[in-house]
């Protein structure tokens, strides 16, 4: 009994942290699902998150005195828009210019971190920004927080952004699987020629999908920089985008799967950060928790944890009239 | 216009466009691009010390470029050079610190350790690709992070919780009094000779051996190679292992040459990712890699002079490199443009 009580206490402490860490991953991974489902590989998620994180912090620092406590939310919108525009580069290169999509993604990552640091140094004359004044605050959800066990675990002290992330994941699932738009998007990723024959504009669908991924990754980055890091520097994002990529694969290119994987990876991150204060976990070397998401993704891909099937046309530019 | 000239023109035009965009970015952000590029130039060629440091910077770029290029030629995309470099770095430094041996044995042993570590890190994605048809891009990305965290944990383990292992023994060092004296005490070391030897080795493997022929065949058409009786799976694994060896050696350059130690890393070195740019620009040929590495290595080192000399953030060079990759990757458009230009001239 004692053991169960202490376990619950640990979970009350751990789960909110895990969900907080998962929110940026969920959004970015969902973005990746859109892009990859349309047949465009998006290694550039990391860079798009960097752009989002940068825009979020800069917006926050600049406009905090105007918008007050709603600044972080406004910053999300700004980050979404700018990251979506930034992702156009990836769309143009990989859809219109038929560039190797992986190479283009690598370029996006290099460009994003280079450009954002360049701008930080230009605007603030130092290597990283100040801490943001207005950040996302935790709150409890009325009524739901009263539910025993589940309430304190999931509905007390949660970030509004976590609710947003999970809602978007569910919305993405409905859009992708229960609307004509989603069907078309998936068709373009599986068999673009067949889709083209049925009158779907493959290029347009892919542009839209890549921009959705840019927008969502931008929101993800801005959430990360305004709730977890609270400033922007060269190591702010540091692999979150690639972890989101891992989540989307581990989740088998399905929005809810990606969400589940992101939650799980968030849990692993939370453990590696606050694990020191938890019995048993304390004895596990930190490195195992840090590499866990990546190892699991490799195992999932190798088919040890169910078979993951990528969209058929993933990574191949569509050239009209070519068989 | 012949195909060969177009093939050379695409990277050249890309570099020019990249520098042009860089100039525009500087102009728009209120910096003077002429001052900026002058500072960059001086950072590379300004004095003999800078030249020595530039060559030092080029050394790991050559090896990282070879690693990416070798995999490319076999039809594989090794994004894991970064991780293979990191484990190579650790392995070389560890051997350099843990053993005391005569130089004749110690130095080669440390280099081999780096090669072996890189090879192992390349073997895993190779095996998964061959046995389970898992795409190597994703696995190598994941292996990068595993390498980063594992190396950091190992550094802490061997140095009792410290973030730095301390210096390697002189017997394992690549540093050269002669080269240092010649370049006004830069950190230039013998590694450049190893890098050039590896360029030659890659050329020999690809052009003069059956293995190279098979690797290239697999890279061009897996099904045809299999039909011709080649063991595709074996070749995929071998290609990743050899690629990993090159990458591991790039790590040895940092461990035994430039730094002489390994420390806990907050993030990636970036050399592995720049290796992709090097290989792309060099069209994945051994000679091309030398050019690509020289360009990007110089840019990267020269950039460190820009904040001091022209008050421009050095990240401008990362922007330029990224833009160059975009253009090289979008070679289809440049090719189209060059060919149209060629046709117009012919018509006249």
């Amino acid at each position: 009994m004692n053991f169960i009580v202490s376990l619950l206490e640990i979970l009350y402490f751990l789960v909110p942290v895990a969900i907080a860490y998962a929110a940026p991953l969920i959004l970015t991974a969902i973005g990746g699902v859109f892009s990859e489902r349309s047949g465009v590989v998006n290694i550039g998620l990391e860079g798009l998150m960097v752009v989002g994180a940068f825009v979020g912090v800069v917006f926050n620092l600049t406009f905090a005195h105007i918008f007050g406590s709603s600044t972080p939310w406004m910053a999300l919108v700004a980050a979404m828009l700018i990251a979506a525009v930034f992702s156009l580069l990836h769309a143009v290169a990989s859809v219109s210019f038929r560039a190797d999509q992986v190479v283009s993604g690598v370029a996006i990552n290099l460009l994003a971190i280079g450009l954002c640091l360049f701008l930080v140094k230009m605007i603030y004359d130092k290597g990283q920004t100040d801490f943001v004044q207005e950040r996302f605050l935790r709150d409890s959800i009325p009524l739901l927080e009263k539910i025993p066990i589940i309430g304190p675990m999931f509905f007390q002290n949660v970030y509004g952004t976590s609710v947003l992330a999970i809602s978007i994941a569910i919305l993405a699932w409905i859009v992708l699987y229960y609307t004509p738009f989603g069907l078309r998007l998936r068709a373009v990723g599986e068999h673009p020629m067949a889709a083209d024959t049925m009158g779907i504009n493959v290029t347009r669908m892919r542009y839209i999908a890549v921009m959705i991924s840019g927008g969502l990754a931008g929101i993800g980055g801005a959430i990360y920089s305004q709730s977890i890091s609270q400033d922007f520097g060269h190591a702010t994002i540091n692999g979150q985008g690639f972890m989101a990529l891992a989540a989307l694969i581990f989740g088998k290119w399905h929005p809810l799967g990606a969400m589940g994987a992101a939650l799980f990876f968030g849990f692993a991150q939370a453990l590696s950060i606050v694990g020191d204060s938890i019995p048993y976990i304390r004895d596990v070397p930190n490195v195992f928790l840090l590499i866990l998401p990546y190892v699991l993704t490799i195992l999932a891909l190798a088919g040890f944890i169910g078979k993951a099937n990528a969209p058929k046309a993933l990574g191949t530019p569509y050239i009209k009239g070519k068989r | 216009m012949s195909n060969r000239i177009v093939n050379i023109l695409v990277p050249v035009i890309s570099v020019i466009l990249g520098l042009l965009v860089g100039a525009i970015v500087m102009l728009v952000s209120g910096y003077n691009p002429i001052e900026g590029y002058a500072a960059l130039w001086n950072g590379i060629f300004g004095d003999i010390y800078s030249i020595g440091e530039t060559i030092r910077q080029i050394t790991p770029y050559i090896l990282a470029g070879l690693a990416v290029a070798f995999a490319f030629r076999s039809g594989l995309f090794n994004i894991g050079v970064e991780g293979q470099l990191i484990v190579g770095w650790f392995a070389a430094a560890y051997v350099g610190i843990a053993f005391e041996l005569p130089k004749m044995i110690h130095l080669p042993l440390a280099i081999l350790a780096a090669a072996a570590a890189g090879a192992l890190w390349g073997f895993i994605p190779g095996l998964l690709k061959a046995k389970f048809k898992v795409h190597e891009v994703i696995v190598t990305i994941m292996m990068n992070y595993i390498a980063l965290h594992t190396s950091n944990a190992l550094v802490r383990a061997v140095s009792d919780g410290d973030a730095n292992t301390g210096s390697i023994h002189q017997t394992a060092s690549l540093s050269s009094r002669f080269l240092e004296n010649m370049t006004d005490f830069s950190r230039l070391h013998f590694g450049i000779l190893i890098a050039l030897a590896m360029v030659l080795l890659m050329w020999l493997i690809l052009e003069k051996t059956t293995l190279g022929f098979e690797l290239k065949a697999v890279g061009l058409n897996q099904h045809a190679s299999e039909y011709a009786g080649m063991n595709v799976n074996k070749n995929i694994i071998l290609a990743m292992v050899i690629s990993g060896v090159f990458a591991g050696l790039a790590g040895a350059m940092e461990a035994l040459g430039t730094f002489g130690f390994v420390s806990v890393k907050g993030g990636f070195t970036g050399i592995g990712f720049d290796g992709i740019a090097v290989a792309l620009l060099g069209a994945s040929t051994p000679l091309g890699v030398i050019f690509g590495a020289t360009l990007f290595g110089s840019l990267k080192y020269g950039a460190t002079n820009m904040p001091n000399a022209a008050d421009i953030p050095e990240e401008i060079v990362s922007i330029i490199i990224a833009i160059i990759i975009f253009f090289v990757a979008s070679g289809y458009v440049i090719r189209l443009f060059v060919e149209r230009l060629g046709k117009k001239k012919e018509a006249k």
Side-chain angles (χ1 to χ4, degrees):
Chain A
M1 197 57 211
N2 228 340
F3 174 76
I4 294 174
V5 169
S6 62
L7 183 73
L8 270 181
E9 270 171 10
I10 290 167
L11 285 178
Y12 291 158
F13 166 58
L14 198 59
V15 169
V17 181
I19 296 176
Y21 269 90
L25 292 179
I26 293 174
L27 285 161
T28 310
I30 296 295
V33 168
F34 274 95
S35 170
E36 304 229 334
R37 274 293 183 159
S38 81
V40 181
V41 176
N42 204 340
I43 306 274
L45 288 176
E46 172 88 3
L48 296 168
M49 268 187 104
V50 167
V51 172
F54 166 77
V55 174
V57 168
V58 172
F59 185 94
N60 196 312
L61 288 171
T62 316
F63 295 108
H65 64 280
I66 301 175
F67 297 119
S69 61
S70 64
T71 315
W73 293 97
M74 308 287 280
L76 288 193
V77 177
M80 177 184 80
L81 293 176
I82 294 184
V85 171
F86 193 77
S87 69
L88 264 180
L89 278 176
H90 183 52
V92 171
S94 54
V95 179
S96 299
F97 290 177
R98 302 177 196 174
D100 184 314
Q101 296 169 2
V102 174
V103 174
S104 163
V106 169
I108 284 276
N109 291 336
L110 287 177
L111 184 64
I113 193 74
L115 192 63
C116 292
L117 278 182
F118 179 83
L119 291 173
V120 163
K121 286 186 179 169
M122 192 180 93
I123 302 170
Y124 301 101
D125 216 16
K126 54 185 176 181
Q128 69 207 49
T129 66
D130 293 325
F131 286 105
V132 294
Q133 297 299 318
E134 296 289 343
R135 55 198 176 83
F136 286 114
L137 297 173
R138 290 155 177 248
D139 213 345
S140 296
I141 300 170
L143 291 179
L144 290 176
E145 65 163 320
K146 297 280 193 309
I147 306 172
I149 300 180
I150 298 174
M153 220 184 281
F154 296 106
F155 301 116
Q156 284 180 6
N157 281 324
V158 292
Y159 284 109
T161 49
S162 304
V163 179
L164 175 77
I166 290 168
S167 321
I168 287 187
I170 293 168
L171 187 70
W173 169 57
I174 296 169
V175 167
L176 276 175
Y177 285 88
Y178 298 101
T179 65
F181 170 80
L183 180 66
R184 284 178 195 144
L185 192 135
R186 286 181 294 132
V188 162
E190 295 291 336
H191 202 313
M193 194 160 61
D196 193 13
T197 321
M198 299 307 285
I200 300 169
N201 187 336
V202 176
T203 308
R204 196 173 130 243
M205 284 311 285
R206 286 189 168 174
Y207 265 85
I208 293 172
V210 172
M211 286 183 76
I212 292 176
S213 82
L216 290 179
I219 300 179
I223 291 178
Y224 191 88
S225 69
Q226 291 179 98
S227 58
I228 296 168
S229 73
Q230 301 184 19
D231 69 347
F232 180 84
H234 73 280
T236 298
I237 293 302
N238 206 5
Q240 293 293 316
F242 284 118
M243 199 181 279
L245 186 72
L248 108 89
I249 295 163
F250 193 48
K252 296 175 184 152
W253 287 270
H254 188 287
L256 298 184
M259 179 181 80
L263 281 169
F264 181 68
F265 291 171
F267 196 75
Q269 284 199 65
L271 272 183
S272 71
I273 289 156
V274 298
D276 286 346
S277 45
I278 301 171
Y280 303 113
I281 300 294
R282 196 180 323 175
D283 305 326
V284 178
N286 210 340
V287 59
F288 291 114
L289 295 169
L290 287 171
I291 66 174
L292 187 69
Y294 309 111
V295 173
L296 281 175
T297 303
I298 292 177
L299 291 179
L301 278 169
F304 296 126
I305 313 173
K307 190 74 194 136
N309 281 322
K312 280 240 166 44
L314 190 60
T316 41
Y318 175 60
I319 301 164
K320 249 187 198 292
K322 192 186 172 192
R323 277 189 236 221
Chain B
M1 224 179 284
S2 80
N3 227 356
R4 207 191 169 87
I5 297 177
V6 176
N7 280 345
I8 294 172
L9 268 178
V10 171
V12 171
I13 292 176
S14 302
V15 170
I16 294 171
L17 286 174
L19 291 172
L20 218 59
V21 173
I24 294 171
V25 171
M26 281 190 262
L27 210 58
V28 171
S29 4
Y31 298 113
N32 182 346
I34 298 171
E35 243 176 62
Y37 281 133
L40 182 64
W41 179 268
N42 286 332
I44 303 167
F45 301 108
D47 48 40
I48 189 78
Y49 173 83
S50 304
I51 294 176
E53 281 287 309
T54 302
I55 299 174
R56 174 196 62 73
Q57 184 79 41
I58 291 170
T59 309
Y61 273 68
I62 293 179
L63 288 162
L66 287 180
V68 179
F70 196 86
F72 266 149
R73 291 297 284 273
S74 320
L76 298 164
F77 198 151
N78 183 5
I79 298 203
V81 173
E82 185 68 42
Q84 293 145 15
L85 183 150
I86 288 174
V87 293
W89 186 335
F90 175 81
Y94 178 73
V95 171
I97 291 157
F99 301 99
E100 282 187 67
L101 296 162
K103 184 143 198 161
M104 289 302 287
I105 304 169
H106 201 179
L107 179 57
L109 192 69
I111 294 174
L112 278 178
L120 173 71
W121 234 250
F123 172 76
I124 296 170
L127 182 75
L128 290 175
K129 168 101 178 176
K131 290 277 176 228
F132 301 105
K133 304 283 168 239
V134 184
H135 205 292
E136 74 281 3
V137 165
I138 306 298
V139 179
T140 48
I141 288 174
M142 302 301 136
M143 293 293 287
N144 281 341
Y145 284 95
I146 299 175
L148 181 68
H149 294 304
T150 308
S151 156
N152 283 350
L154 288 173
V155 169
R156 288 220 170 82
V158 299
S159 50
D160 297 324
D162 268 0
N164 192 317
T165 55
S167 287
I168 54 169
H169 293 294
Q170 264 309 308
T171 45
S173 174
L174 277 169
S175 64
S176 138
R177 216 20 93 61
F178 170 70
L179 290 175
E180 283 170 11
N181 284 338
M182 215 169 71
T183 55
D184 201 13
F185 302 101
S186 75
R187 288 174 293 173
L188 182 60
H189 53 83
F190 280 131
I192 185 68
L193 302 178
I194 295 177
L196 292 174
M198 287 302 129
V199 173
L200 188 69
L201 181 71
M202 171 166 159
W203 180 79
L204 282 173
I205 293 177
L206 281 181
E207 306 300 332
K208 300 290 168 198
T209 65
T210 322
L211 170 68
F213 179 80
E214 286 198 8
L215 287 175
K216 284 188 291 181
V218 169
L220 290 170
N221 190 332
Q222 277 196 15
H223 302 294
S225 316
E226 194 162 5
Y227 189 67
M230 295 173 195
N231 186 341
V232 172
N233 284 346
K234 188 195 84 184
N235 278 307
I236 287 174
I237 297 176
L238 257 179
M240 282 305 290
V241 166
I242 296 174
S243 174
V245 165
F246 288 136
L249 288 177
M253 299 299 113
E254 304 297 86
L256 309 175
T258 307
F259 294 99
F261 59 80
V262 56
S263 52
V264 170
K265 294 177 183 57
F268 289 130
T269 65
I271 299 171
F273 295 118
D274 287 341
I276 298 168
V278 169
L280 280 174
L281 198 72
S284 301
T285 61
L287 200 62
V289 164
I290 296 187
F291 287 118
T294 306
L295 178 78
F296 289 130
S298 309
L299 284 178
K300 208 76 187 191
Y301 182 73
T304 54
N305 187 40
M306 291 176 82
N308 282 331
D311 207 23
I312 299 175
E314 61 182 276
E315 279 73 22
I316 185 70
V317 161
S318 307
I319 299 175
I320 294 171
I321 292 179
I323 300 285
I324 293 175
I325 302 180
F326 262 122
F327 284 121
V328 178
S330 310
Y332 157 76
V333 176
I334 298 179
R335 216 167 273 269
L336 217 64
F337 175 74
V338 169
E339 274 162 13
R340 286 227 177 114
L341 220 65
K343 270 183 198 146
K344 262 186 202 160
K345 272 189 189 150
E346 273 164 33
K348 276 179 189 169

